[in-house]
Every structure is written in C-alpha cells, then in structure tokens.
Amino acid sequence: MFLPMLTHSPLPVRLNVLRAILTEITVLEKRSQPVQTKAQLHKLLEKRRNTCKAAAEDFQKAGREDLVSKENEQIDVLQEYMDDSPTLSTDETVLAIQNLIRWMQTKGSNPNPKSDKKALRYLFQEGGALHGKMVDKSLVSRTFERLVNELPPWDPSMRAQNSYEQHGGREQAGQVTVSR
C-alpha cells in the first residue's frame, strides 16, 4: 500500500488521519473485503473525507469552531492523499461509455437511460475499460444517461448484421476498451 508522506499539515493531524485509515483498512480485511487496489483505497479516502465534511457541518451548526477547524485539517490531509492518486479523465470515461453504447447498438438494442444502467457493469468487470480504474461512478451513470438521451431516434435497420461476425467471432461486452 502506498501512502506518501506529505508535509503540508501538522504531524499530529496527519498521524491521526493515517491511523484512522489504517484502522478502517484492518476492519475491512477482517470482514473479507480487503483493500487491494488503488481504486479501493481512493474510495476509502473519499468516504473518510465525506464523513469529516459531514462532521464539520454538524460542528458548525453546534457552534464548535475548534472542532470545525480540526475536521477541516483532516479534510485537507485526506484531499492531499486523494490528489496523489489520479482518477480517469472525463474524456477517457466518455470514450469508454460511447464504446459501450455502440456495442449495445450492434447487439440490436436501443439503449435506454433508465433500464440499461445495469449495462454499465460491463465497464467495471474484469477486462472492461474501467475495471480497477479510479473513476466517479455517479459521473459514469450521469454521462451514460446524457449520451443515451442525445442519441438520434432508434432505427433498427441501421443495426449491424451480426455482432458476433462484426467482432471477429468473440463477445465484446466485457472487452470494451479505451483506445488512444
């Protein structure tokens, strides 16, 4: 596991944040959900940051400025670690979703933004374009819905003859890739 030592925050705050992260990782390992990838670690950091933000808001409402500043310092440390782990760019995410939509169309379906969100699982499965990558899943969902809504009206006659033949005789759903 890689957590770089950054020096912008006081040591006690950084130490407390690291201890909390390590505790959460230990708890997840005991529950058979170990943190094994950078994407899982990023998600854990994001969850911890959101918890600190919620606590800071609650302390703000209660008038506890001392605790608000403590939470904000922790948020800054967590944000530093999150910034150190780059996420997939929006362009790469859009390209992966466009490839999935094209694949769905070659299979003869008219992508529906509400019922076909389950098709997004192909992007995150083993071999999918977004598998193991750090990407905001809500962004993926919103982008999928937006792109499907922008499609021209569905014309079944434009569908590919046979998806199986078009892709060289192999299934492509889990193999949608981002090409550069």
Side-chain angles (χ1 to χ4, degrees):
M1 174 152 341
F2 177 73
L3 288 175
M5 213 38 194
L6 304 173
T7 58
H8 296 94
S9 295
L11 187 60
V13 174
R14 185 168 304 284
L15 186 60
N16 288 336
V17 168
L18 288 174
R19 284 180 179 157
I21 293 168
L22 289 173
T23 300
E24 288 185 49
I25 289 172
T26 303
V27 167
L28 289 172
E29 285 177 353
K30 289 180 180 179
R31 292 185 182 166
S32 300
Q33 301 169 345
V35 176
Q36 296 176 333
T37 66
K38 286 185 178 184
Q40 291 171 326
L41 178 60
H42 190 271
K43 185 175 180 181
L44 179 76
L45 293 172
E46 187 174 26
K47 178 182 171 188
R48 182 84 182 140
R49 184 194 60 191
N50 291 340
T51 301
C52 288
K53 281 183 179 180
E57 290 173 9
D58 291 342
F59 293 140
Q60 183 74 37
K61 290 176 187 174
R64 296 291 311 266
E65 293 304 318
D66 56 325
L67 295 177
V68 170
S69 66
K70 178 186 169 206
E71 292 297 326
N72 286 334
E73 288 174 354
Q74 290 183 15
I75 291 168
D76 292 342
V77 171
L78 289 164
Q79 191 62 49
E80 285 180 47
Y81 287 128
M82 290 175 63
D83 291 343
D84 190 52
S85 54
T87 57
L88 200 61
S89 75
T90 305
D91 292 339
E92 292 171 315
T93 304
V94 168
L95 183 59
I97 295 168
Q98 287 172 336
N99 287 340
L100 175 68
I101 291 171
R102 277 189 223 109
W103 175 81
M104 292 172 70
Q105 289 174 326
T106 62
K107 295 295 275 182
S109 70
N110 181 14
N112 180 320
K114 300 295 182 203
S115 64
D116 285 338
K117 281 190 179 180
K118 63 185 175 207
L120 294 175
R121 71 177 182 263
Y122 291 119
L123 294 173
F124 296 101
Q125 286 179 350
E126 184 81 32
L130 304 178
H131 176 72
K133 299 207 169 85
M134 288 180 275
V135 63
D136 181 2
K137 289 186 179 183
S138 64
L139 172 70
V140 171
S141 180
R142 288 190 314 268
T143 304
F144 176 78
E145 189 170 337
R146 179 180 55 82
L147 290 174
V148 169
N149 286 331
E150 291 173 359
L151 288 174
W154 177 246
D155 182 6
S157 66
M158 299 202 45
R159 119 175 208 227
Q161 286 274 341
N162 183 330
S163 174
Y164 186 78
E165 292 170 5
Q166 182 182 7
H167 295 294
R170 62 183 192 279
E171 187 64 38
Q172 291 290 303
Q175 299 175 7
V176 177
T177 57
V178 176
S179 57
R180 295 182 186 191

